[in-house]
Amino acid sequence: MLEIGGGSGAMAAAIIESNGQVNLTTTDIDLAMVQAAQRSLAGLPIETRQADAAALPFADGSFDMVLSFLMLHHVVEWEQAIAEAARVLRPGGSFVGYDLLSSRVARWIHWVDHSPHRLIEVAAFRAALEQAGLNPLRLHATAGGRVLRFVAQKPSIAVNDAS
């Protein structure tokens, strides 16, 4: 499994605690976050690396699952991060996570904290998944329409368009 934008490692730790049998790599673009994750995950079987979600340093088809928890909206060109997730997934692999949808509350929070962001719209997210070659299996708005939970899958076999 690959977690993109894993921050200080809280989700990675929870994943390992609930299922220690997984092979997990967690990444973040921010070196300070990577160092914090390395400290908090010390002793756990988790690889922690600095990486840009929009330019992942992994070979094509390296992971069975890519996870993203509340970080894609901080990648202004989040379509590129989705394309990278699709690239590093093995055929049949899944892209799973959740993120903020565009809402008054989300816009206000990011106006206050001045963080770079581009909030997600469901139709644009679905289009980005499909453009990257992923099948959207589940796109579900929760928390009063403020959070998008998603599951997408890379097809198991390549479709040959030639007849």
Side-chain angles (χ1 to χ4, degrees):
M1 283 186 196
L2 172 66
E3 180 188 17
I4 56 175
S8 64
M11 293 300 287
I15 290 165
I16 289 297
E17 288 171 13
S18 67
N19 185 354
Q21 301 303 310
V22 299
N23 182 5
L24 178 61
T25 300
T26 188
T27 64
D28 202 279
I29 194 168
D30 184 337
L31 182 58
M33 287 285 97
V34 172
Q35 291 169 339
Q38 288 170 335
R39 286 188 300 274
S40 70
L41 300 172
L44 295 175
I46 301 171
E47 180 181 2
T48 305
R49 293 184 56 179
Q50 184 176 21
D52 182 347
L56 293 169
F58 305 105
D60 296 0
S62 298
F63 297 93
D64 292 318
M65 185 174 286
V66 176
L67 308 168
S68 173
F69 304 113
L70 208 57
M71 61 69 63
L72 281 173
H73 70 279
H74 286 290
V75 180
V76 175
E77 298 298 327
W78 46 258
E79 294 90 345
Q80 183 58 37
I82 291 172
E84 280 293 281
R87 182 185 65 76
V88 301
L89 276 173
R90 291 184 179 110
S94 297
F95 180 40
V96 178
Y98 57 88
D99 215 300
L100 289 179
L101 288 169
S102 183
S103 69
R104 179 180 289 187
V105 171
R107 287 188 298 276
W108 183 82
I109 289 169
H110 290 82
W111 177 78
V112 169
D113 76 6
H114 302 286
S115 63
H117 67 282
R118 188 171 128 241
L119 297 169
I120 292 170
E121 300 282 347
V122 176
F125 193 80
R126 177 183 298 278
L129 291 171
E130 291 171 349
Q131 179 68 31
L134 299 173
N135 297 324
L137 300 179
R138 182 173 179 175
L139 299 177
H140 181 70
T142 62
R146 293 184 184 99
V147 175
L148 176 67
R149 294 175 172 268
F150 61 89
V151 177
Q153 187 174 45
K154 188 171 189 174
S156 295
I157 56 172
V159 177
N160 186 355
D161 292 329
S163 299

